[in-house]
Amino acid sequence: GAGVSQSPSNKVTEKGKDVELRCDPISGHTALYWYRQSLGQGLEFLIYFQGNSAPDKSGLPSDRFSAERTGGSVSTLTIQRTQQEDSAVYLCASSDARTGSGETQYFGPGTRLLVL
Amino acid sequence: QKEVEQNSGPLSVPEGAIASLNCTYSDRGSQSFFWYRQYSGKSPELIMSIYSNGDKEDGRFTAQLNKASQYVSLLIRDSQPSDSATYLCAVILSGGSYIPTFGRGTSLIVHP
């Protein structure tokens, strides 16, 4: 694909339900990042993958949040037992750490999550 | 202490003026710096990256980096209403990871 894609674009769920958010990075990008952005706020780092491994999970806000990446490509962010404070836009970005400008991140369109 | 600081604004400039956006960072060993633009309801998009002290120009945009003073700026010449957005500064801090630290962003309004 030409860019980073995310699905679903919007998700409305009830408090206590589990949700899965998907990210499809740019083909060949080895690094993948998840961020959360609440209304009017900056980007909150959640987790980073290099290949299939996650060397930095420091941003996950609680043990209700988990993420995985398979085949060095698609990643899924799972939020269990959602709470209203989880409502935010979840952004995924990828970068190609192998190139000289490898730190440049390309963002997907985001998933807007609303927990009722 | 926040590691990457930006004035949240809004910064309001008239059309055609120069908009100056500033960002300071706390880690003296930082090596990579980025400016992203984020329109309301959209995801961030890269405008410029800068790695060396001095100025880097790309069209109407100029990034300025001063590592001794630990700040990076973005100048937008001939500002247009379409430049109205939030501008995010991102810094790769020293330590070997590729994870950028983002500032909270400065809201820019260019009025006709």
Side-chain angles (χ1 to χ4, degrees):
Chain A
V4 180
S5 60
Q6 292 186 245
S7 62
S9 54
N10 292 281
K11 177 70 176 179
V12 181
T13 190
E14 294 178 349
K15 178 182 173 181
K17 297 287 178 104
D18 298 351
V19 295
E20 281 190 357
L21 312 179
R22 175 188 168 109
C23 172
D24 219 323
I26 292 173
S27 179
H29 277 192
T30 57
L32 185 147
Y33 312 77
W34 283 98
Y35 295 90
R36 178 168 71 174
Q37 188 173 36
S38 300
L39 189 63
Q41 301 298 309
L43 292 174
E44 176 187 3
F45 168 75
L46 298 178
I47 189 169
Y48 154 67
F49 287 93
Q50 182 60 250
N52 289 336
S53 64
D56 192 332
K57 304 180 182 179
S58 62
L60 294 177
S62 77
D63 59 7
R64 296 187 295 106
F65 288 72
S66 63
E68 64 176 13
R69 189 180 185 194
T70 56
S73 181
V74 172
S75 176
T76 302
L77 177 69
T78 301
I79 308 173
Q80 296 178 308
R81 305 181 302 281
T82 52
Q83 303 294 312
Q84 289 179 331
E85 60 263 28
D86 298 335
S87 298
V89 176
Y90 289 80
L91 290 163
C92 175
S94 70
S95 68
D96 186 354
R98 297 168 299 176
T99 71
S101 59
E103 303 120 326
T104 299
Q105 296 186 325
Y106 298 88
F107 283 83
T111 294
R112 284 155 184 76
L113 174 65
L114 178 61
V115 182
L116 301 176
Chain B
Q1 178 187 1
K2 285 192 68 68
E3 295 172 302
V4 179
E5 294 268 16
Q6 293 181 259
N7 188 321
S8 61
L11 173 66
S12 182
V13 301
E15 183 174 358
I18 296 175
S20 178
L21 305 161
N22 299 310
C23 172
T24 60
Y25 58 95
S26 59
D27 182 358
R28 186 171 290 276
S30 300
Q31 296 296 324
S32 305
F33 307 85
F34 307 86
W35 282 100
Y36 287 82
R37 176 177 61 198
Q38 186 174 26
Y39 290 114
S40 181
K42 302 294 185 182
S43 56
E45 56 181 335
L46 181 72
I47 299 175
M48 293 187 72
S49 57
I50 186 167
Y51 303 93
S52 304
N53 274 329
D55 294 1
K56 180 180 178 182
E57 187 174 318
D58 184 0
R60 295 187 296 112
F61 298 95
T62 299
Q64 299 176 318
L65 176 60
N66 184 323
K67 292 186 179 181
S69 300
Q70 295 174 235
Y71 79 80
V72 56
S73 301
L74 181 70
L75 302 179
I76 307 175
R77 289 183 300 280
D78 188 25
S79 296
Q80 301 297 309
S82 59
D83 294 326
S84 299
T86 296
Y87 289 80
L88 300 169
C89 170
V91 178
I92 303 281
L93 305 177
S94 60
S97 87
Y98 285 115
I99 304 169
T101 299
F102 283 82
R104 293 168 66 93
T106 298
S107 174
L108 173 67
I109 299 172
V110 181
H111 53 86

